[in-house]
Amino acid sequence: MKRDFDVIVVGGGHAGTDAAHAAARAGASVALVTLRRETIGVMSCNPAIGGLGKGHLVREIDALDGVMGRAADAAGIQFRLLNRRKGPAVQGPRAQADRAAYMLAVQNALVERPGLSVIEGEATDFLMDGARVVGLSLGDGSEIRAAATVLTTGTFLRGVIHIGDVSRPGGRVGDKPSVRLAERIDSFGLALGRLKTGTPPRIDGKTIDWSAVEMQPGDADPTLFSFLSKAPTLRQVACGITHTNERTHDIIRGNLGRSAMYGGHIDGVGPRYCPSIEDKIVRFADKSSHQIFLEPEGLGTDTVYPNGISTSLPADVQEDYVRSIRGLAAARIEQPGYAIEYDFVDPRALRRTLELREVPGLYFAGQINGTTGYEEAAAQGLVAGLNAARAALGKEPATFDRRSSYIGVMIDDLVTRGVTEPYRMFTSRAEFRLSLRADNADQRLTPFGVALGIVGEDRCRAFEAKARDLAAARANLEALTLTPRELRAAGIDVAADGGRRSGFDLLSFPQIDYAMLASIAPGLDVHAPDVREQISRDALYARYLERQERDAAAIARDEAEAIPDHFDYAGLKGLSNELRDKLERARPETLGQAARVEGMTPAALTLLLARLRRARRKLA
Amino acid sequence: MDTVFAMSTAPGKAGVAVLRLSGPAAHEITEGYAGTLPPPRELRLRRLHLPCGGLLDEALVVVFDAGQSFTGEPVAEWHLHGSIAVQRKALAALGAEPGLRPAEAGEFTRRALQNERLDLVGVEGLADLIDAETEVQHRRALAALGGQVSKKIGDWRADLVRAAALVEATIDFADEDIPEDVFGEVSSLLGRTKTSLTEELAGSPAAERLRQGFEVAIVGAPNVGKSTLLNRLAGRDAAITSDVAGTTRDVIEVRMEIAGLPVTLLDTAGLRETDDPIETIGVDRARSRAATADIRVVLLGPGDGRPAEALEDDIVLTAKSDTATSLSEGVSGLTGAGVDALVAELGHRLQGRTQSAGIFDRERHRIAARDALEALDRAEVHVEEGPHSAELAAEELRAAARALEGLLGQVGVEDLLHEIFSSFCIGK
């Protein structure tokens, strides 16, 4: 069949841009369809990238040569490494971003990418060939044909915006919903759920009394996202911190009936980790104050994003309570906060490639899958775009697993367990957290990306150089062996008992660092600082990594056991109805994935394995 | 792949008990205990030595190479004497070997399937079987102590979830408005769980007795009436009786119920010095079995004094007291005098022992509990180190929960998040 492009990506948000870029890197010709070219890469919620778990995702996107990490570095106006005083496995890079600079960086990345075209238009319907999606029709009546289509349209499915008791249909503020496309998706018969999310009012920074609030500068020694970035490019700024007080709470309590959520206008489930200010005051009534970060939206704007007071109260109440807050007495609201409700598709309908199981050729990424957050969206975009391209080019799928990436953790959680609230990444979701660190995302994923052909030459070379240095440093450390006596002679305090130990072992001792060993063995100081740091971290966790590797090996075996698409669970005698229902919904692709379906028992797994073996033998 | 082990024969006493090891270390471990490995698929007698020294048993040992075994992996089987003490010792010793763990229910079969060794015919029934087993265990866990078991497990679970959630909250919500000083509460939760687990471990032998039965040994001089008493207690002629001293040579066992508890009565050879080699073996067996029995009933001949070897808590009775009206006057197997009183006394004592019975009635439980305790010990160290070791404390808490998973049910990340979000106002 004739095609205009290999891959179409619908939507120019964080999922869409990393999807289109990944598909192009994978060698596909790509059309990114968006309503307005100038809104590509817009940050519609808070002006920040990264954080705990999220920062890990950005590093992984970067390790695969994606867009988000470099764009965030180019737009960063305040970098902070969260959990700086905790162990390296749980440190997450985060940055405040200049909205305009971020959009520009993303748009430039797309423009510079060969094989990627941007088409302005409204996606109104899919072109179908039987059950398969083979392209898109646009609002102007034109049609684009492609082998694979990635839909990344965020909250457009029955999106409703609420400001107090006023509500109107729409995606983010300013966008119009597409009714026909929604009807087409309905015709696929997918299971849908309803979620909500909110934003705070935006404030004119010139009307904030900055002298009355506490200021938080960025890190003196900024940690960037991209393995290729060296230093921030924009001027760095501080954020303000203020707090709500009893009067704020009184105003909100007195107007709860006018809040969209408490007035009964919203049915969707909101995220528990990002509650509205109404929610906070109702659920934690004994707390007399809540923290608010005043985040500048950029260097060329005065708009400030007050992080911590998202709301669906009417505009006049928003103004009242904002002005009750220290430093905000004269604040002018530029745009009131609002809540948005939208449908999401139960992600258990997806394969690990993010292709819909029942609608070949169609991939979903981002909020439509029940997730929240730019980073979660971009990571899904990368997976969907990469796989859409590979499918279009007739290549094998590329999947990510829980043992080697946060991306794999997220995809597995989504397609195996589904979501009940907007899904956000946390480090606690990763059972192999100690090995899935932000600092070693390149070690974990860049070789995979190189093998897939989606990593550019610059990164490839930089990575190989670092890998060589790491291996040499490791060999030097293993070759260096010291006795307690020798260590004490060098002024390092260790217990007298115990034998000769390698430099690598010694690095796991809390009182010994790389510099001390380098002072004893001068050959060690030839290695690059990031290599020294990473190898120290490997040593710190070595004991745990061995244990995690054993667990991972056990999982690997089950992951190798594939379950065919149309496996007949109904024909499995001895499964409870509840479990059968869950398995049919999630349709796990491997035995390992089946093991993670809620309520799975060892007996049911054995049964499943036996049936798989029998089926294979019959085929043979 | 781990190496796993389990008894492959039914629990309890038997002529032979087969212990099976499967996995990469199965042969190496066997060699460690047996000294030398027999050629594959040939049964050989070996003396098995414990790593800490001392003889475990003299056993028939057979090894199978990978690809030529039931599971498809290297397998070793130890055909031990079917003594409960030997089995328990063997399991405990293997449980302490690094890299070895007890097999999960159905794990040998699962490995066999995985390695395409098992005939698939009839395998569908297998799941039902395994389900049935775990369901029975589950029912017992719920019912055994009138809900106390499930309450205890529920309490551990809640404490571990809470402790892990507190630690995770400081990690994943570091930029939120939540208190950092959660480590005091974490310590007290850990301490409480450790104490409770330790108590349960101490009560574990009694629990195993509840499941497998208590042993009551009747001992005494030859021809003092031990077998007659056994027959009376059993209500049938289980042992041959005669006037000839030394009639009972081997240990005779009778299963019965006393005060609702499973009891194995042991009739033993009369204790005396003898030149008869067979009787000598019988006397040795009598002594060793009596030593491990839960209660010993020492029968005295008329006019005999309390023997020096009787322990303080042995029940010492004058036998052949045909007209006894109370236990202090003695007992008679012939007339039944004093027998009711003896049964009542045994019942009373055994019930006393069940008071301390814990919920761990299998070696698998004990190993899980010990693993969990070790992980909690390490977690405690990291908690004391403070926030900079939070991720290590969390790792050990996960390990503890994973060790106890079979008892607790899985502790998933959603449980932790729920606890975090209901405790702290998250969302800046």
Side-chain angles (χ1 to χ4, degrees):
Chain A
M1 192 176 300
K2 143 191 170 323
R3 59 168 89 147
D4 305 303
F5 293 91
D6 294 322
V7 174
I8 299 171
V9 175
V10 186
H14 305 279
T17 49
D18 252 305
H21 203 266
R25 292 202 306 282
S29 62
V30 182
L32 188 152
V33 176
T34 178
L35 287 172
R36 292 196 310 277
R37 187 186 292 269
E38 68 270 18
T39 60
I40 287 177
V42 69
M43 309 177 97
S44 49
C45 191
N46 61 324
I49 299 281
L52 296 162
K54 291 166 168 281
H56 289 73
L57 283 174
V58 180
R59 279 287 175 90
E60 293 182 356
I61 293 167
D62 185 68
L64 294 163
D65 224 4
V67 176
M68 182 168 263
R70 276 177 288 186
D73 286 343
I77 52 175
Q78 187 208 46
F79 290 88
R80 282 200 309 130
L81 182 64
L82 302 184
N83 275 341
R84 189 174 271 281
R85 277 185 296 278
K86 294 201 182 76
V90 294
Q91 293 175 357
R94 181 184 191 277
Q96 293 300 139
D98 178 306
R99 274 184 202 284
Y102 187 85
M103 284 171 66
L104 189 66
V106 171
Q107 290 173 15
N108 284 343
L110 297 192
V111 169
E112 287 162 12
R113 185 77 237 171
L116 199 166
S117 319
V118 174
I119 294 175
E120 273 195 344
E122 186 198 358
T124 51
D125 200 358
F126 296 122
L127 304 177
M128 303 297 299
D129 175 15
R132 174 172 285 275
V133 168
V134 292
L136 201 65
S137 23
L138 300 185
D140 63 5
S142 62
E143 293 185 347
I144 318 172
R145 293 193 170 264
T149 301
V150 183
L151 190 71
T152 69
T153 41
T155 58
F156 93 108
L157 267 186
R158 274 170 288 276
V160 178
I161 288 177
H162 302 266
I163 304 175
D165 47 12
V166 184
S167 62
R168 56 176 180 75
R172 24 173 214 242
V173 163
D175 286 354
K176 52 181 177 173
S178 173
V179 176
R180 254 171 61 205
L181 193 61
E183 284 170 354
R184 171 66 76 180
I185 291 171
D186 286 345
S187 78
F188 296 147
L190 303 167
L192 302 175
R194 199 147 177 83
L195 296 174
K196 72 166 194 300
T197 185
T199 66
R202 310 298 163 87
I203 297 174
D204 178 354
K206 293 193 299 296
T207 63
I208 294 175
D209 177 4
W210 292 98
S211 66
V213 304
E214 188 190 325
M215 295 306 286
Q216 184 184 50
D219 291 341
D221 172 23
T223 302
L224 277 69
F225 289 104
S226 177
F227 290 96
L228 298 180
S229 300
K230 298 289 172 234
T233 51
L234 298 184
R235 178 168 62 83
Q236 300 295 292
V237 302
C239 291
I241 298 178
T242 182
H243 295 88
T244 63
N245 53 48
E246 287 293 6
R247 199 159 71 79
T248 322
H249 297 193
D250 286 341
I251 294 168
I252 292 165
R253 262 192 294 267
N255 287 284
L256 277 180
R258 298 179 65 199
S259 157
M261 196 170 62
Y262 286 90
H265 302 288
I266 295 185
D267 314 312
V269 181
R272 288 171 298 178
Y273 43 80
C274 189
S276 64
I277 188 68
E278 294 97 297
D279 240 348
K280 290 185 189 181
I281 282 158
V282 171
R283 287 183 46 220
F284 295 92
D286 54 333
K287 243 184 143 210
S288 57
S289 171
H290 295 276
Q291 188 173 254
I292 304 166
F293 285 83
L294 299 173
E295 304 178 346
E297 297 216 344
L299 299 178
T301 173
D302 290 312
T303 305
V304 165
Y305 185 97
N307 202 341
I309 50 169
S310 78
T311 184
S312 61
L313 283 161
D316 61 307
V317 182
Q318 294 187 28
E319 190 169 284
D320 277 358
Y321 84 70
V322 163
R323 289 186 171 174
S324 72
I325 295 166
R326 190 178 168 84
L328 304 182
R332 188 180 69 80
I333 292 181
E334 292 181 343
Q335 181 196 306
Y338 59 90
I340 174 162
E341 243 193 322
Y342 56 98
D343 279 359
F344 73 100
V345 173
D346 181 344
R348 287 177 294 180
L350 301 166
R351 301 175 190 280
R352 286 177 301 169
T353 56
L354 300 183
E355 184 181 23
L356 277 169
R357 204 180 301 108
E358 304 299 336
V359 190
L362 182 58
Y363 296 72
F364 282 176
Q367 259 176 314
I368 193 167
N369 291 340
T371 64
T372 170
Y374 308 147
E375 305 80 0
E376 288 84 352
Q380 288 172 71
L382 187 153
V383 172
L386 167 64
N387 278 289
R390 291 181 68 82
L393 302 174
K395 295 181 183 168
E396 288 291 300
T399 55
F400 295 78
D401 67 57
R402 306 185 71 91
R403 290 160 291 152
S404 45
S405 66
Y406 275 81
I407 296 177
V409 170
M410 175 176 67
I411 301 286
D412 187 60
D413 281 347
L414 291 176
V415 306
T416 308
R417 307 181 71 94
V419 299
T420 50
E421 70 180 321
Y423 179 95
R424 174 179 146 183
M425 186 43 77
F426 301 110
T427 71
S428 48
R429 294 195 192 274
E431 58 272 56
F432 300 113
R433 174 164 68 187
L434 300 184
S435 41
L436 304 187
R437 306 194 306 265
D439 66 88
N440 67 11
D442 55 344
Q443 304 299 312
R444 294 184 279 116
L445 291 175
T446 301
F448 181 54
V450 170
L452 293 170
I454 57 171
V455 171
E457 259 182 49
D458 290 353
R459 183 180 301 273
C460 204
R461 265 197 302 277
F463 173 77
E464 278 167 7
K466 182 178 170 191
R468 270 195 302 275
D469 199 10
L470 256 179
R474 177 79 185 235
N476 286 346
L477 279 168
E478 298 284 4
L480 170 71
T481 63
L482 295 164
T483 62
R485 182 192 300 259
E486 287 165 336
L487 285 164
R488 278 182 304 168
I492 298 172
D493 183 32
V494 289
D497 54 337
R500 190 171 271 282
R501 288 175 183 280
S502 79
F504 187 73
D505 282 349
L506 289 166
L507 272 182
S508 69
F509 287 38
Q511 72 272 31
I512 298 179
D513 64 24
Y514 193 96
M516 290 179 181
L517 294 179
S519 73
I520 303 175
L524 290 176
D525 57 14
V526 302
H527 302 294
D530 58 337
V531 163
R532 298 179 191 195
E533 185 166 270
Q534 193 171 326
I535 208 153
S536 303
R537 292 173 170 190
D538 287 341
L540 174 67
Y541 293 124
R543 189 161 58 88
Y544 296 91
L545 297 188
E546 280 167 29
R547 193 160 82 193
Q548 294 203 333
E549 268 163 30
R550 275 203 305 277
D551 292 349
I555 292 178
R557 194 158 174 158
D558 285 348
E559 294 296 346
E561 200 71 52
I563 305 176
D565 262 0
H566 295 286
F567 185 83
D568 177 22
Y569 290 101
L572 260 193
K573 202 181 95 206
L575 272 190
S576 71
N577 286 335
E578 192 192 344
L579 197 51
R580 177 175 306 127
D581 190 56
K582 282 185 174 154
L583 285 165
E584 280 175 348
R585 214 172 258 277
R587 291 235 153 244
E589 290 171 52
T590 67
L591 195 69
Q593 208 186 326
R596 291 186 292 276
V597 168
E598 221 185 316
M600 197 66 189
T601 66
L605 267 186
T606 309
L607 195 61
L608 193 54
L609 178 62
R611 176 55 64 92
L612 290 171
R613 283 287 149 89
R614 176 187 291 181
R616 197 171 317 150
R617 195 157 294 189
K618 270 186 187 159
L619 278 177
Chain B
M1 206 71 186
D2 308 350
T3 300
V4 296
F5 62 90
M7 297 309 304
S8 286
T9 41
K13 269 190 307 291
V16 175
V18 179
L19 188 151
R20 183 188 276 153
L21 298 105
S22 179
H27 290 188
E28 184 190 326
I29 290 282
T30 301
E31 191 169 12
Y33 282 70
T36 56
L37 284 183
R41 316 180 81 165
E42 289 183 27
L43 211 54
R44 290 290 149 78
L45 190 65
R46 288 286 183 275
R47 289 167 71 84
L48 301 178
H49 291 275
L50 293 165
C52 54
L55 186 67
L56 170 64
D57 196 10
E58 202 166 63
L60 289 169
V61 170
V62 59
V63 297
F64 303 91
D65 285 334
Q68 303 200 308
S69 69
F70 170 62
T71 60
E73 304 169 331
V75 163
E77 284 180 6
W78 303 357
H79 296 228
L80 302 164
H81 286 105
S83 136
I84 290 176
V86 168
Q87 296 179 42
R88 190 176 301 147
K89 246 186 201 167
L91 292 175
L94 290 177
E97 298 280 355
L100 252 62
R101 62 172 176 78
E104 303 292 331
E107 189 166 1
F108 288 122
T109 313
R110 173 131 192 261
R111 289 178 174 218
L113 275 166
Q114 217 138 21
N115 296 314
E116 311 204 27
R117 294 296 296 173
L118 200 65
D119 176 14
L120 291 178
V121 177
V123 85
E124 278 177 334
L126 181 77
D128 295 341
L129 262 179
I130 299 170
D131 258 348
E133 188 196 341
T134 51
E135 201 177 310
V136 167
Q137 285 168 357
H138 181 65
R139 259 210 308 276
R140 184 192 162 276
L142 289 181
L145 298 171
Q148 281 180 352
V149 172
S150 51
K151 182 177 180 315
K152 187 164 275 177
I153 291 174
D155 287 349
W156 288 337
R157 192 174 197 283
D159 280 358
L160 282 183
V161 167
R162 171 89 186 155
L166 288 168
V167 175
E168 295 289 0
T170 69
I171 293 173
D172 265 336
F173 302 98
D175 53 341
E176 302 275 357
D177 206 6
I178 59 164
E180 276 270 329
D181 55 346
V182 299
F183 289 85
E185 187 183 346
V186 174
S187 289
S188 81
L189 289 166
L190 286 186
R192 200 156 84 191
T193 311
K194 277 175 56 184
T195 308
S196 180
L197 271 172
T198 310
E199 277 169 15
E200 277 306 323
L201 266 176
S204 171
E208 183 145 10
R209 284 296 206 261
L210 264 180
R211 188 168 66 85
Q212 299 202 326
F214 292 90
E215 286 188 352
V216 174
I218 305 173
V219 294
N223 206 17
V224 78
K226 296 182 293 295
S227 299
T228 311
L229 179 60
L230 174 100
N231 288 346
R232 167 66 68 172
L233 285 167
R236 64 190 171 92
D237 283 344
I240 301 166
T241 55
S242 80
D243 289 339
V244 180
T247 302
T248 304
R249 294 291 180 89
D250 208 345
V251 179
I252 290 172
E253 304 181 2
V254 175
R255 295 282 281 185
M256 61 180 293
E257 200 179 291
I258 294 178
L261 301 169
V263 172
T264 303
L265 277 177
L266 307 175
D267 180 21
T268 60
L271 304 175
R272 66 169 173 184
E273 297 302 320
T274 166
D275 294 332
D276 179 341
I278 296 176
E279 192 181 351
T280 304
I281 296 172
V283 169
D284 287 349
R285 278 198 189 164
R287 286 188 204 275
S288 81
R289 283 299 292 275
T292 59
D294 297 285
I295 297 179
R296 279 164 298 281
V297 176
V298 181
L299 292 188
L300 304 177
D304 289 352
R306 187 183 172 94
E309 67 223 51
L311 301 173
E312 200 182 330
D313 57 354
D314 288 351
I315 300 175
V316 182
L317 298 173
T318 305
K320 299 188 176 174
S321 304
D322 293 350
T323 58
T325 53
S326 76
L327 217 49
S328 58
E329 290 175 31
V331 68
S332 167
L334 196 65
T335 64
V339 166
D340 286 349
L342 174 59
V343 168
E345 176 64 17
L346 287 172
H348 177 70
R349 288 189 178 207
L350 292 175
Q351 268 177 335
R353 301 201 175 195
T354 64
Q355 297 300 313
S356 69
I359 58 179
F360 300 141
D361 57 4
R362 282 179 159 75
E363 191 60 25
R364 189 160 63 85
H365 298 165
R366 282 191 286 272
I367 289 174
R370 273 193 288 264
D371 286 350
L373 272 172
E374 281 169 19
L376 290 176
D377 282 338
R378 292 190 298 265
E380 225 166 24
V381 172
H382 293 310
V383 166
E384 275 160 26
E385 288 165 358
H388 75 270
S389 292
E391 86 281 22
L392 299 178
E395 186 66 20
E396 296 297 358
L397 280 170
R398 275 179 202 222
R402 220 170 25 234
L404 291 177
E405 227 152 56
L407 300 166
L408 297 178
Q410 285 194 1
V411 176
V413 68
E414 282 304 321
D415 296 314
L416 301 185
L417 292 176
H418 176 76
E419 181 68 31
I420 292 174
F421 296 136
S422 53
S423 304
F424 303 113
C425 182
I426 304 279
K428 60 183 183 182

